[in-house]
Amino acid sequence: MLSYLHRYHAGNFADVHKHLLLTRVLLALGRKASPYCVIDTHAGEGIYDLASAESLAAGEAAEGVARFRALPGAPDAAAAYAALAADAAAYPGSPEIARRLMRQNDRLLAVELHPQAFAALKRAMRGDARVHLHRRDALEALVALVPPPEKRGVVVIDPAYEVKDEYRSVPAAVAKAFARWRAGVFLVWYPLLPEGRHEALVAALAGAGFPELLISEWHRRAPEGGRGLYGSGVAVVNPPWKLKEEAEEIGAWLETAGFGGRPELRFFSSAEVKPRSWE
């Protein structure tokens, strides 16, 4: 299905949650001198106009990045994202965040199948030799493009989940890709909806035997008594060192500063399942 366009939802609370963690992963990769590769399987348009008719009609950025910008006392772990999201008119999607944080010898492989989104992505990424665009199926590309020559890197996977089967096909594809690239970090976003379909995705990832798996969820409201997105989930396979502690720090600050909602964090290892929850 190719009906979803992220421009209606850019900068919402789920983007803030996802991109705060993605920024920490990219900065961790940048601590070593050797190059890294970013593979974005659902790249979207790259940059979003928050003054567009679509964005204003949905109004989701007002409760997401706009609210985030107004929060006091941002910790160091949120500073890089705050700088990237400072422009009130334009919101950077995950490929643009990667492009801004990459160094000269790093690479971005941006995958997008939607023709309208792909055309916008080409305009946004024009002139950057570090960026390589692919118009192809996301999960096919996820397996086919790994391992990259750089050895280190991150794959960003954030479907719209318009197709219910994606809750099972995404973790299956991640497991296949990880078997080919065990040094890679895999960041998977998923929606929290009252139907609870995300539970199958989390269970499949937790049972896949990855060395380490970090689950970060942001619950904006209770799942009962409402429709639509009530929260945001991010699963990180092979999380970088200290990402768990950084996620804890960011989550505690967002909650106390008034972003709205509450964080939950869980950690799994293949040697021993270690749930770590906090509210």
Side-chain angles (χ1 to χ4, degrees), residues 149-211:
E150 289 83 359
K151 297 184 179 179
R152 299 189 310 119
V154 58
V155 183
V156 184
I157 307 144
D158 57 343
Y161 295 94
E162 292 179 293
V163 180
K164 295 176 183 178
D165 184 60
E166 286 180 311
Y167 292 97
R168 298 189 181 278
S169 61
V170 166
V174 170
K176 288 181 182 178
F178 179 78
R180 294 167 59 94
W181 191 26
R182 297 184 67 85
V185 179
F186 295 80
L187 187 150
V188 182
W189 178 83
Y190 56 92
L192 302 185
L193 296 165
E195 297 82 0
R197 295 191 183 98
H198 68 279
E199 294 172 4
L201 182 147
V202 173
L205 291 172
F210 299 122

Side-chain angles (χ1 to χ4, degrees), residues 26 47 51 56 59 82 107 150 152 157 161 178 193 220 249 272 278:
L26 292 167
I47 303 173
L56 293 174
R107 280 195 313 144
E150 289 83 359
R152 299 189 310 119
I157 307 144
Y161 295 94
F178 179 78
L193 296 165
R220 202 64 184 268
E249 181 183 13
E272 178 185 0
W278 58 291

Side-chain angles (χ1 to χ4, degrees), residues 41-64:
T41 62
H42 299 76
E45 299 180 34
I47 303 173
Y48 298 92
D49 179 5
L50 296 184
S52 69
E54 296 93 337
S55 179
L56 293 174
E60 295 187 21
E63 291 300 309

Side-chain angles (χ1 to χ4, degrees), residues 6-12 15 47-62 64-66 69 81 85-92:
H6 191 62
R7 61 178 60 173
Y8 289 90
H9 312 286
N12 66 3
D15 268 359
I47 303 173
Y48 298 92
D49 179 5
L50 296 184
S52 69
E54 296 93 337
S55 179
L56 293 174
E60 295 187 21
V65 67
R69 293 193 198 103
Y81 170 75
D87 188 345
Y91 186 79

